[in-house]
């Protein structure tokens, strides 16, 4: 993988695409991508939070995207920000932790990617 991330989010379809040999994502070889870095962990809510909160809908992943307190930002605002970054950077692909780092507890992929964030 070298410096390439394990996944990139294809913003037009909101699908997390896994890395494939040759640095391909969804058939695109070594594509340009934008990066969004933000702090969400301290506002993260458990998936079974009562009352329920919506979470960003991402296709192609095996984990549930955790909801965040909507006082910080809403799901719609977050998706609009992803689309704006994609449009302004002219990149359909964006690296954003919530869709590109496996969120399953104890995931080896997650531990590896967290350690690689600075390179990405």
């Amino acid at each position: 993988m070298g410096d390439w991330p394990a996944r990139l989010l294809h913003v037009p379809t909101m699908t997390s695409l896994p890395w494939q040999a040759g640095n391909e994502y969804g058939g695109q070889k070594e594509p340009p991508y934008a990066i969004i870095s933000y702090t969400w962990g301290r506002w993260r809510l458990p998936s079974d939070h009562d009352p329920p909160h919506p979470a960003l809908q991402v296709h192609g992943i095996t984990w549930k995207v955790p909801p965040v307190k909507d006082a910080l930002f809403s799901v719609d605002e977050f998706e609009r920000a992803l689309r704006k970054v994609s449009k302004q950077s002219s990149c359909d692909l964006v690296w954003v932790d919530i869709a590109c780092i496996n969120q399953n507890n104890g995931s080896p992929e997650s531990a590896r990617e967290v350690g690689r964030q600075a390179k990405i």
Side-chain angles (χ1 to χ4, degrees):
M1 286 175 63
D3 293 341
W4 287 90
R7 295 178 161 274
L8 291 172
L9 178 65
H10 183 252
V11 175
T13 62
M14 294 302 288
T15 302
S16 183
L17 302 173
W19 176 90
Q20 296 176 336
N23 303 323
E24 287 191 19
Y25 300 85
Q28 297 180 59
K29 183 173 179 57
E30 299 188 356
Y33 62 93
I35 298 171
I36 294 180
S37 180
Y38 65 106
T39 302
W40 64 273
R42 71 183 111 176
W43 295 285
R44 179 180 182 164
L45 298 171
S47 296
D48 60 352
H49 186 270
D50 190 28
H53 281 66
L56 186 68
Q57 297 299 302
V58 177
H59 307 285
I61 58 176
T62 60
W63 60 90
K64 287 185 177 184
V65 173
V68 295
K69 294 178 184 174
D70 52 11
L72 178 61
F73 54 84
S74 71
V75 171
D76 289 339
E77 289 169 327
F78 190 38
E79 188 168 340
R80 279 196 303 273
L82 288 166
R83 293 189 186 284
K84 184 174 183 177
V85 165
S86 175
K87 183 177 180 178
Q88 288 181 343
S89 66
S90 299
C91 295
D92 285 344
L93 299 171
V94 172
W95 184 92
V96 59
D97 58 2
I98 204 73
C100 298
I101 294 179
N102 189 321
Q103 300 295 308
N104 290 319
N105 287 334
S107 164
E109 178 186 315
S110 176
R112 184 179 63 242
E113 284 299 283
V114 167
R116 298 177 64 239
Q117 281 183 318
K119 276 186 169 183
I120 293 170

